[in-house]
Amino acid sequence: MISLENENIRVTFAEKGAELRSITAKATGLDYLWKGDPAYWGKFSPVLFPVIGALKDETYYVEGKEYHLPRHGFARDHDFVFEQISDTEVLFTLSATPDTLAVYPFEFVLGLRYTISGFSVSCTYEVHNPADQHLLFSVGGHPAFAAPITDEVTYEDCYLEFAIDESLIYHKIDNNLISDQTDSLHLDKGKMFLKHSLFYDDALVFKKMESRMITLRNTINEYGLHFRFNDFPFFGIWAARDADFICLEPWCGIADGVAHNQQLSDKEGIISLSPGEHWKRVWEVEVF
């Protein structure tokens, strides 16, 4: 495991998928990340690239040619190149290979830069287009946080507190695709208490959310975290069936709609990066 630490926290990572694996507070020994129990869901915080969610029939087209990608793309299953920038910063990099070009016809350089400061960990997605054609991609996060964080707390004692007390409209999932059916999530003074049944029909997918920070708290003790995600247009909230975690997922991109034409250039939320250009977005978690 690769690690960063300061006087407050110790954070670990894996080269496979450049995946964040733990966020441990030194004073308490509490790990705020999900443990990755494969009986429920064996991942911790996968990166989603070059697509988010599912493609219709796992198929898309670029300039008339057919390609296939699994749900959430391939980056999470590849080993990244690791570079220690400083005592508080690491950079993981993945570049195009013949294998990726066979399923995704674009040159790219994807970076995940992790930085720690105080009780916070930030994850910066950095995408560079080294080619002479536009790069079409989506990228996003899927970090899973322990809920509860301590043993005396139950899942139902935990709640999400949104920075803005808003009525949230989420899109329902139909065979892994975004349907036109919506429902409302009504907050109670900005709070959404967790229930396993909330996610029995898959993730809650939001195309519009005014809150740029969500806090995970519980009614029993003071432990929790702040999750900040400026400049991500889409957001997902998910947990595996009856598992004690909550995924807070900032996305630049979204799964295909049920009526999508499968043209990558027409995909909702797709980013088109000009030749030679750089792009980045940041999310941050602060534990307490």
Side-chain angles (χ1 to χ4, degrees):
M1 280 289 170
I2 296 157
S3 66
L4 292 175
E5 60 183 289
N6 58 21
E7 65 274 17
N8 301 308
I9 57 175
R10 183 174 188 269
V11 184
T12 63
F13 314 90
E15 289 180 87
K16 184 178 180 180
E19 190 174 27
L20 177 65
R21 288 293 183 90
S22 67
I23 306 171
T24 304
K26 288 187 171 181
T28 62
L30 293 176
D31 183 0
Y32 289 75
L33 216 63
W34 160 246
K35 304 300 190 294
D37 183 350
Y40 295 95
W41 187 62
K43 296 185 182 295
F44 301 79
S45 180
V47 58
L48 315 182
F49 177 92
V51 295
I52 291 171
L55 297 167
K56 189 175 182 179
D57 300 325
E58 295 192 341
T59 301
Y60 70 98
Y61 296 87
V62 174
E63 296 182 351
K65 187 173 180 180
E66 180 178 310
Y67 297 91
H68 303 278
L69 281 175
R71 192 177 189 183
H72 297 322
F74 53 70
R76 60 183 178 170
D77 297 318
H78 282 251
D79 287 336
F80 282 60
V81 176
F82 160 68
E83 181 181 358
Q84 181 92 33
I85 304 299
S86 71
D87 291 341
T88 58
E89 184 176 339
V90 293
L91 175 64
F92 296 89
T93 306
L94 179 69
S95 300
T97 67
D99 286 342
T100 68
L101 289 168
V103 295
Y104 176 64
F106 298 95
E107 297 284 348
F108 68 89
V109 181
L110 169 65
L112 271 70
R113 186 183 301 271
Y114 293 100
T115 306
I116 63 171
S117 177
F119 288 90
S120 297
V121 184
S122 67
C123 174
T124 304
Y125 301 123
E126 302 176 351
V127 181
H128 170 56
N129 181 4
D132 58 4
Q133 64 172 338
H134 279 72
L135 169 60
L136 303 180
F137 71 96
S138 297
V139 68
H142 204 307
F145 300 104
I149 297 165
T150 56
D151 292 339
E152 73 273 20
V153 180
T154 70
Y155 196 73
E156 290 74 18
D157 293 325
C158 300
Y159 62 91
L160 299 178
E161 187 174 54
F162 292 73
I164 297 173
D165 187 11
E166 52 185 311
S167 182
L168 296 169
I169 307 298
Y170 64 91
H171 286 255
K172 295 185 177 182
I173 305 298
D174 183 359
N175 291 321
N176 294 327
L177 304 179
I178 305 297
S179 77
D180 295 328
Q181 289 186 300
T182 61
D183 206 341
S184 297
L185 181 64
H186 298 290
L187 304 179
D188 180 8
K189 297 180 180 178
K191 298 176 182 178
M192 184 190 89
F193 278 85
L194 299 187
K195 296 184 296 182
H196 290 301
S197 60
L198 276 171
F199 311 107
Y200 284 176
D201 293 326
D202 212 322
L204 306 180
V205 176
F206 304 95
K207 293 187 179 183
K208 292 182 180 179
M209 181 186 290
E210 293 196 28
S211 294
R212 297 288 93 187
M213 183 177 79
I214 298 174
T215 299
L216 174 62
R217 300 185 190 272
N218 71 82
T219 60
I220 306 301
N221 60 42
E222 71 275 17
Y223 300 116
L225 58 88
H226 301 299
F227 189 77
R228 302 180 179 93
F229 50 98
N230 288 329
D231 301 322
F232 289 86
F234 307 101
F235 201 84
I237 301 177
W238 176 78
R241 191 177 186 89
D242 295 328
D244 286 344
F245 69 81
I246 190 71
C247 281
L248 302 178
E249 306 179 41
W251 297 335
C252 288
I254 200 167
D256 280 355
V258 293
H260 183 52
N261 64 12
Q262 298 177 284
Q263 300 296 321
L264 189 63
S265 59
D266 294 337
K267 185 173 174 60
E268 185 175 11
I270 201 74
I271 298 160
S272 180
L273 191 62
S274 298
E277 291 294 316
H278 295 262
W279 177 100
K280 68 179 181 179
R281 292 292 185 275
V282 184
W283 56 259
E284 177 188 29
V285 55
E286 178 185 6
V287 303
F288 57 84

